[in-house]
Structure formats: C-alpha cells, structure tokens
Amino acid sequence: MPIHVDKAKGRFHLQGKAMSLILERGELPDGTHPLLMTYYGARLEADEVPGTPLGAKDLASFDTANAVLPFAAPGERCGDFRPAMIGAQTASGRYATRLSLCGHETRQGKEPLPGLPATYVEAPDEAETIAFALEDALTGLRVRLSYTLFAQVDAVAVSVRAENAGEEPMWLTRCMSVAISLQGQYDALHLHGAWAKERQVERIGPMHGERAIRSARGASGHQHNPFMALLSRDATEHTGDAYGISLVYSGDFCITADQDAYGQTRAVCGLNPDTFRWKLEPGEAFQTPEAVLAYSPDGLNGMSQIYHRLYRTRLCRGPWRDRERPVLINNWEATYFGFDHEKILRIAKAAAELGVELFVLDDGWFGRRDNDDCSLGDWVEDRRKLPRGLKGLAEDVQALGLRFGLWFEPEMISPDSDLCRAHPDWVLHAPGRFATQARNQWILDMGRPEVQDHVIEAVSRVLRSAPISYVKWDMNRNFAETGADWLPADRQGEVAHRYMLGVYRVMEAVTGAFPDVLFESCSGGGGRFDPGMLYYMPQTWTSDDTDAGERMKIQYGTSVVYPASAMGAHVSAVPNHQIGRVTSMRVRGEVAMSGNFGYELDLSRQTPEDLDVIREQIARVKQIRRVTQQGVFTRLLSPFEGNVCAWQFALDDTVVLFAFVTAQKANPELCRVRMRGVPAGRWRDEDDGRVYDASVLERAGLPFIVPGGERLGDYTGMVRVLRRAD
Ligand code: DGJ
C-alpha cells in the first residue's frame, strides 16, 4: 500500500493493490506551484506519467495552463473555469484563490476528523497518509489537503483543512473535500429518488459541461445520495474502470463532474457551496468532511465491494458493528398511532412465539401524540396509552423473551408541544420570514449548543429510564427557511453546516453513553442513508416502501455503495401500504432477508399458512444472517434492466444466492443464474443436496426454479444456500 515520494521530482505515487493515484508539483508562469493529479486509474508500476501534449511554450501562457492543468486543489476565480474546490474572500476584498504547494508530510495510519464522521484504522499499518501544505500568499489562506490510502482496499480518503493564516478575517466561499482529474470521457452513475423510492440507479453518458447532483435540504436527502461513480464508457457491473466518489456527510452536499473541451474530466465533491459561507478570523481553521474515493478495474461491482468492506468495518463503529443483528418486529404499520400497552403486548407475544428477538415501539408513545400534529420534543411517555410507562412495557416485553427498542425524532419540534411553548426561539427559522411546517412540524436549530445539550439529556433520560436496547432515530422533514438570529449577519452562511455539526455532536454523545444500544438511523425512510450516519449508527431504515418488488430496486441501488449490514429490511402487510401491491409472504421475506431482517405488521393477525412461512423465514434468517450481514455481496442481475434480478453473498464455507422474477411473462427465457467469485471447490445445495463444482455455478449457473414449482405470477423468488462440500 505504499505512498512513494520522489522529492527531487516532486512526485507522489499512491500505489494500491490495483490502483495508482499520482500527484505532482507543477509550475505556473507566475512561479507558483500547483498540486496536480496527473494520473488516477489502474495500477502503474512506475510513476513517470507523460504530461499534457501541450509544450512548455503553451503552458507558459497562463490562460492555457489554467484551462488544461489537472489541479488537485483548484481555486476560485483564477482563470480555471472548471468547477472549483476552494475559494476565499478577505475582509479587504481579496478574492481570487491560487494555492501553491509548500510542503508535505507522510505518516502511517490516519487521524480522526474532530467533530466529524470519518473512516478510521485500528492499527497504524492499515493505512498511510500524505498531507500536502498549500498556501495562497495573497489572501493568507493555508490548506492542508490530506489523502489516506488504505492497505486492504483500494480506497483513498481525502479531506481539507483550511486555515486563515493572514491578518484580516476571511470567508470561505467554498471549501470542498476533493477534486479528481481523469483523462477522457466517462459515464456518470448516481442514485436518485424520492420518498419511498430511494436510490434508483441512473447511468448517463458523457456531455461537455457539468453533470451535478446536490442537496440543500439540510439532509443528504431522498433525492440524491452523496455519491457519484464515473465509469469508462465500456464499463459494466464486472469489467472496466469504475471510480466512486462518496461523501461522509449527512447534510447539504454537491458532486459535480465536468468534461472540458480537451477531453478531460474533473469531479469535485464536498459541502454544497450554494448554502455555505464560513467566516475565519485570523488563526481559525475549518475542517471539511471526508470524501472517499474507490477505484476498481473490475467494474461497478468491484467498486461497490471496496465501499462495502471499508464502510462495514472501518466506518461503522461500536459493539454492534460485528454482531449479528436481531430479527425485529416494529409496530408502525401494524398500529400507527393507535395502540396501548395491551395491544403492543399482544403483538410482542405473537412475535416471541415465532422467534423474533426485538420489539420496536415506533412513533406515538410520548406527549399526547394520537396524530402527527403534536408533541415532538416532549419525550415523556403518554400514560393514557402506557399506564405503566415505558419501563412497565419494556419489562413486560422482556419477560416474553424479547428485547425492547424505541423510536425518537430528536431533531424536531411540534408547534403544539411544551418544548415549543417554552423555547420558541429554538426553532430553525429565517428571522422575519414565515416558517414553513412540513408534517406539521418544525426543526430544532441543532447548531445551538443549548439545543444540543437539551437533546442529549432528553434522549438519555428516556434511555436510562427503561431497559431499552435499540433506538430508531428518525428525521421526517427537510429545511425550508434557514437562518439563525443567534449568529451575526456575516455568519448566516454557516447555519446548514453548524446544524450537521450539532447533530453529530449529539449523536456522538448519545451513542457513546449507551454503547450497547443498537442504533438505526432513519429519515422518512431512507432520506439520510449516507456514510455520515453510518459512523454513529451501523444501520439505516432503507425506505418506507416495503413492497417486495420496489424493495428489490431500492436495495439493489443502495448496494452500489452501502453494505447489506447497513440496510433495514422488513416484511410488511399486503396490500402494501405504500403502493397497494399484493405479493406473497414468501417473497416479501426473501427480499427482506438480504438486509437486517424484521416485520412491520400485526403478527397476531396472520393466517396459519403465513405463520408457517414466517416461522420458516425466521429460522432461515438466523441460519444465514452472518453471511448476509458480513459476507461479500455481489450483484448478478439488475432489476433496472430486466425482469429477473439476482445477487449473492459469500462468507467462508457458505454462499447464498437470491434470485427473483419481477414481471412474469409467458414462455419466459430459460434463465440460469451465473454466480460470481465462488471459491474453487465443491458446493452442496442445502435444500436438495445436489453438489456442484464452483466452475459450474459460475459458468453454467443454477436454473431459476422456485421451490415447489410455483413459477407463475409476478414477484416470485428463490433462495439457494450452498455449503462447501469438500
Ligand atoms: C418515518 C419512518 O420512516 C417510519 O418508519 C416511521 O417511523 C414514521 N416515520 C413514524 O412517524
């Protein structure tokens, strides 16, 4: 995993297992030395990369040099008209930003980012870091741009620390985390969506100009995930160059890929400059979130596997990172707000008899919340519904052999709440403007330290009051008007990022104080499914859409970046509450088994036939969940491209194949699903006892046959568990 430094030539080679990233000290006609990214791609055995075809004479002309050089830290308003990464303006009006390299240092390991989520190492030899010092002599802006190369996976974590080393205040007008430069044209692949249809895969061809995704919602959002892949035009799931750019952040972000007239592509990624402007007094510094680059010569799937491994093992933290996740039952779709102690116990009892391990009480347990129009902020149990309080209920649930979990929405405030009556000033709002409500609620200004302290105490008090071993942390609306009358006028551009820093501080405090509690983040389903959240909470509720067919797409899309251990996946009732589709209990379970499995329906009201299926499902989940939660995940057939979709998990002596038909047709193609990356040797199908050689599984494939011969109808599936037979 070495980082080779050639000081004399000013060349730095980050050489991974199958990738190389080369940075060089350049020279501009004014004598400054920009840092250039002269190569990023498949591994090179040497670091001499020919420069641009332009001669020294061309590069001596400022406008040509600015237009073509592959700057690794491109500044604003300095003649490079491609997307910039960094810009600053000083109090006296100095604006243009040109950074010149003035030093570097390398070290084993990786430093944490104070107050921010980030990937980490557990031993210094797991990574090597090189940090470049760059300076803009005119404005006094000093930048530390650091790249960490991991030993086990071809991922590079990049972030920026910007410091005001001048004598007057300055404002960062943008401060993004990374810029990459590639030669040639690339397709862009990203994950778009909306509520209940998150992370749909879209691949778009190259264009001259910018392809950009962003959020200004105060959350990463349902609409765009903080991720983009650049793919060589010939790249597929399993072949070709795939470059991933993923931001470890949960708020406003922007990722832009720009193709210039010279056949070069630059991508920048970081905090959304539209909602960002940060004041630095002399001596102050600003740290950006971290962007994680992943390169694979083995297509999109190769790139995904890099993210899965890194994020599962070196982004997620805590004892639950490596523990098998419990089978849960959540009462939301079973009862919505209409429950009491007895009704909950009835569902919990049925669940316990079936083998469920955790009961989660969702929204509606606090204040006087019979609807979504009140009580957020009043985190005190509603004794009308729970006469013996949370403690009484949790103890009764525990007596059934289940653990007890609880829903919160800590960042929110209902206009009709005691909290709002006591602290109307804590509502995030733009002074003087109407404050828009969404789902009848406002947002707390989490940037304010007293609000953070209040939320930490309010949540902790409840967690101390009863035996609670799981928390679902929801966030059901996005920003509208934003401002902060507690901040001066020249710091209003800091509100969105201060909100996120506040949320992170609260999450760090609460999860740190209750390390054995399993936390799951949520945002109206998967509206904040991002690497930032995974640092605090090792799993996220993937989507409010639990229809089996829609979930195939949502989970498939989510797997482009995120490991299955991060995805909450539940079986819900039919007709499905979001789209009205009816699918079998069997297929709903088969789809949910590819994530952290649970139920979201009234288990005390199922038919005897469905109860048999449920019992079988739970037994199977317990048998295979180590593989699905910790194994290597491989996408095989895409639900976005055909009517069959398939994926597999592999760990040690087990491979599990999932395959589904979506829309059925008459005389369907005779489909055999070819598996991938099955370790050499013989494998026994646990259901029918047949033994296959790995080469057969990979090259011929297994026929798509639904157990019991049930082949007709939309949305049918098969699960094959193969165990090593030699
Ligand atoms: C949105 C979540 O995604 C749902 O699962 C549920 O918890 C509701 N909020 C409760 O209000």
Side-chain angles (χ1 to χ4, degrees):
M1 163 235 6
I3 298 183
H4 307 285
V5 175
D6 184 335
K7 264 199 185 152
K9 295 188 181 133
R11 209 174 273 156
F12 313 90
H13 184 176
L14 283 65
Q15 191 180 41
K17 289 166 183 296
M19 66 135 253
S20 282
L21 193 159
I22 297 180
L23 297 152
E24 287 188 39
R25 180 174 185 263
E27 176 148 18
L28 283 174
D30 65 351
T32 56
H33 295 282
L35 184 67
L36 307 176
M37 186 176 288
T38 48
Y39 178 81
Y40 183 28
R43 178 179 157 122
L44 302 179
E45 301 309 326
D47 60 10
E48 295 97 19
V49 175
T52 75
L54 297 174
K57 211 165 126 229
D58 296 309
L59 290 176
S61 120
F62 237 124
D63 58 342
T64 310
N66 280 326
V68 302
L69 286 177
F71 299 113
E76 221 173 39
R77 300 202 183 187
C78 236
D80 168 3
F81 300 107
R82 294 163 290 177
M85 180 175 156
I86 297 181
Q89 180 183 16
T90 67
S92 63
R94 290 182 175 160
Y95 212 143
T97 302
R98 172 165 292 133
L99 292 166
S100 187
L101 185 62
C102 44
H104 73 271
E105 57 181 25
T106 54
R107 69 170 62 167
Q108 289 297 116
K110 180 177 193 288
E111 298 284 301
L113 299 186
L116 284 166
T119 53
Y120 60 90
V121 292
E122 291 193 334
D125 63 356
E126 288 185 6
E128 197 174 344
T129 298
I130 182 160
F132 296 98
L134 299 123
E135 204 169 45
D136 182 358
L138 184 72
T139 56
L141 175 65
R142 208 176 268 167
V143 163
R144 185 173 188 274
L145 171 59
S146 89
Y147 297 79
T148 297
L149 174 63
F150 291 87
Q152 294 303 320
V153 286
D154 280 339
V156 181
V158 192
S159 70
V160 165
R161 184 175 180 276
E163 187 194 335
N164 181 358
E167 271 155 22
E168 50 172 341
M170 68 166 59
W171 287 265
L172 294 171
T173 50
R174 63 170 64 217
C175 193
M176 302 181 75
S177 305
V178 70
I180 64 168
S181 282
L182 303 174
Q183 283 286 313
Q185 302 190 325
Y186 293 84
D187 288 358
L189 183 141
H190 69 121
L191 306 171
H192 70 98
W195 173 77
K197 58 168 185 183
E198 298 89 340
R199 291 171 298 286
Q200 307 288 303
V201 178
E202 183 171 70
R203 180 172 178 163
I204 43 181
M207 65 174 260
H208 287 92
E210 293 181 9
R211 289 165 291 176
I213 52 166
R214 55 170 63 86
S215 165
R217 299 168 177 271
S220 47
H222 298 85
Q223 287 69 15
H224 296 288
N225 201 256
F227 164 80
M228 187 186 276
L230 295 174
L231 305 172
S232 57
R233 304 250 37 223
D234 60 354
T236 66
E237 266 294 349
H238 299 282
T239 59
D241 294 317
Y243 300 83
I245 309 167
S246 162
L247 190 66
V248 185
Y249 192 61
S250 314
D252 295 359
F253 74 91
C254 178
I255 305 178
T256 305
D258 177 81
Q259 189 191 309
D260 68 19
Y262 306 96
Q264 306 183 104
T265 299
R266 171 185 292 169
V268 293
C269 163
L271 296 173
N272 185 349
D274 296 347
T275 57
F276 175 86
R277 188 176 159 88
W278 195 275
K279 185 176 184 187
L280 291 179
E281 295 289 355
E284 280 184 351
F286 178 81
Q287 174 64 55
T288 70
E290 157 175 304
V292 177
L293 308 175
Y295 167 78
S296 171
D298 300 322
L300 192 66
N301 196 77
M303 179 213 74
S304 299
Q305 289 179 345
I306 294 173
Y307 282 123
H308 294 170
R309 178 153 175 202
L310 184 68
Y311 285 177
R312 188 176 65 74
T313 64
R314 292 296 180 268
L315 176 65
C316 294
R317 299 176 298 167
W320 280 101
R321 183 188 75 180
D322 302 322
R323 273 190 209 156
E324 290 181 19
R325 310 287 166 77
V327 174
L328 68 79
I329 167 85
N330 176 306
N331 72 305
W332 177 239
E333 291 198 4
T335 66
Y336 294 103
F337 297 99
F339 60 82
D340 58 18
H341 185 108
E342 294 314 318
K343 195 166 182 182
I344 293 298
L345 267 198
R346 184 166 45 75
I347 298 174
K349 187 162 178 295
E353 281 162 9
L354 291 161
V356 172
E357 298 159 310
L358 166 70
F359 181 89
V360 179
L361 183 62
D362 210 282
D363 197 351
W365 58 266
F366 51 92
R368 297 182 72 78
R369 193 155 161 95
D370 296 327
N371 213 317
D372 62 14
D373 59 3
C374 71
S375 302
L376 291 169
D378 299 344
W379 301 111
V380 177
E381 64 261 69
D382 181 347
R383 295 267 170 180
R384 294 171 311 159
K385 294 181 188 173
L386 308 176
R388 293 181 39 235
L390 278 174
K391 186 161 186 284
L393 179 64
E395 285 171 355
D396 283 359
V397 167
Q398 273 189 332
L400 295 169
L402 295 172
R403 280 177 285 169
F404 183 76
L406 196 62
W407 177 98
F408 287 92
E409 197 177 359
E411 299 154 59
M412 295 292 148
I413 180 165
S414 300
D416 179 7
S417 65
D418 292 343
L419 184 66
C420 197
R421 284 181 279 276
H423 296 286
D425 52 321
W426 284 4
V427 172
L428 182 70
H429 68 288
R433 289 236 175 261
F434 175 78
T436 300
Q437 292 180 23
R439 207 193 191 208
N440 305 308
Q441 64 200 54
W442 286 322
I443 305 176
L444 283 170
D445 186 348
M446 297 295 293
R448 294 174 75 137
E450 66 272 34
V451 175
Q452 297 161 21
D453 292 342
H454 170 83
V455 173
I456 292 169
E457 182 46 29
V459 175
S460 303
R461 199 182 326 113
V462 177
L463 296 185
R464 284 191 299 261
S465 74
I468 295 168
S469 37
Y470 162 105
V471 166
K472 177 175 175 185
W473 187 297
D474 206 347
M475 191 239 189
N476 279 302
R477 65 157 291 185
N478 291 156
F479 288 7
E481 306 78 13
T482 52
D485 36 19
W486 59 282
L487 285 172
D490 62 359
R491 287 192 180 272
Q492 292 300 309
E494 301 177 13
V495 172
H497 185 56
R498 281 180 183 271
Y499 178 92
M500 268 336 302
L501 292 177
V503 169
Y504 289 150
R505 183 188 153 223
V506 169
M507 289 187 171
E508 181 71 25
V510 175
T511 56
F514 299 92
D516 286 319
V517 171
L518 170 59
F519 285 85
E520 175 157 348
S521 76
C522 173
S523 177
R528 208 162 56 177
F529 200 130
D530 57 60
M533 282 295 130
L534 290 179
Y535 181 71
Y536 302 96
M537 308 190 175
Q539 59 188 62
T540 299
W541 180 226
T542 309
S543 176
D544 276 345
D545 192 342
T546 42
D547 167 71
E550 293 303 290
R551 268 302 182 111
M552 288 174 204
K553 289 191 180 155
I554 294 168
Q555 292 174 201
Y556 195 94
T558 304
S559 80
V560 169
V561 188
Y562 304 99
S565 61
M567 298 184 215
H570 300 173
V571 174
S572 61
V574 289
N576 176 267
H577 290 199
Q578 289 73 36
I579 66 164
R581 185 183 279 144
V582 176
T583 54
S584 68
M585 178 62 79
R586 187 174 293 283
V587 81
R588 277 175 275 155
E590 286 165 347
V591 174
M593 272 177 212
S594 293
N596 298 316
F597 188 83
Y599 292 90
E600 186 127 354
L601 41 71
D602 189 341
L603 282 174
S604 67
R605 289 168 192 266
Q606 302 302 309
T607 62
E609 296 74 34
D610 278 350
L611 285 175
D612 286 344
V613 176
I614 290 171
R615 229 174 255 112
E616 250 178 60
Q617 279 168 353
I618 294 174
R620 176 154 259 187
V621 166
K622 290 180 181 171
Q623 195 197 11
I624 63 173
R625 67 181 157 191
R626 205 172 67 82
V627 182
T628 55
Q629 291 167 9
Q630 298 172 17
V632 175
F633 175 85
T634 305
R635 288 183 299 273
L636 301 171
L637 294 166
S638 169
F640 294 96
E641 286 166 15
N643 74 326
V644 180
C645 104
W647 54 73
Q648 74 177 45
F649 296 88
L651 183 71
D652 303 332
D653 57 356
T654 308
V655 182
V656 186
L657 170 69
F658 290 85
F660 303 98
V661 165
T662 52
Q664 190 57 271
K665 11 184 190 174
N667 294 320
E669 288 84 8
L670 298 174
C671 172
R672 271 203 303 229
V673 186
R674 291 173 58 181
M675 301 171 72
R676 286 192 176 258
V678 180
R682 306 205 33 95
W683 296 83
R684 175 173 291 106
D685 184 320
E686 207 173 62
D687 284 326
D688 62 15
R690 289 189 61 171
V691 175
Y692 303 92
D693 188 75
S695 63
V696 173
L697 296 173
E698 289 206 355
R699 296 176 198 157
L702 284 183
F704 184 89
I705 298 169
V706 176
E710 171 202 334
R711 175 91 214 241
L712 292 177
D714 295 343
Y715 305 104
T716 53
M718 74 167 186
V719 182
R720 308 290 281 269
V721 180
L722 297 141
R723 306 268 186 198
R724 195 173 263 293
D726 44 25

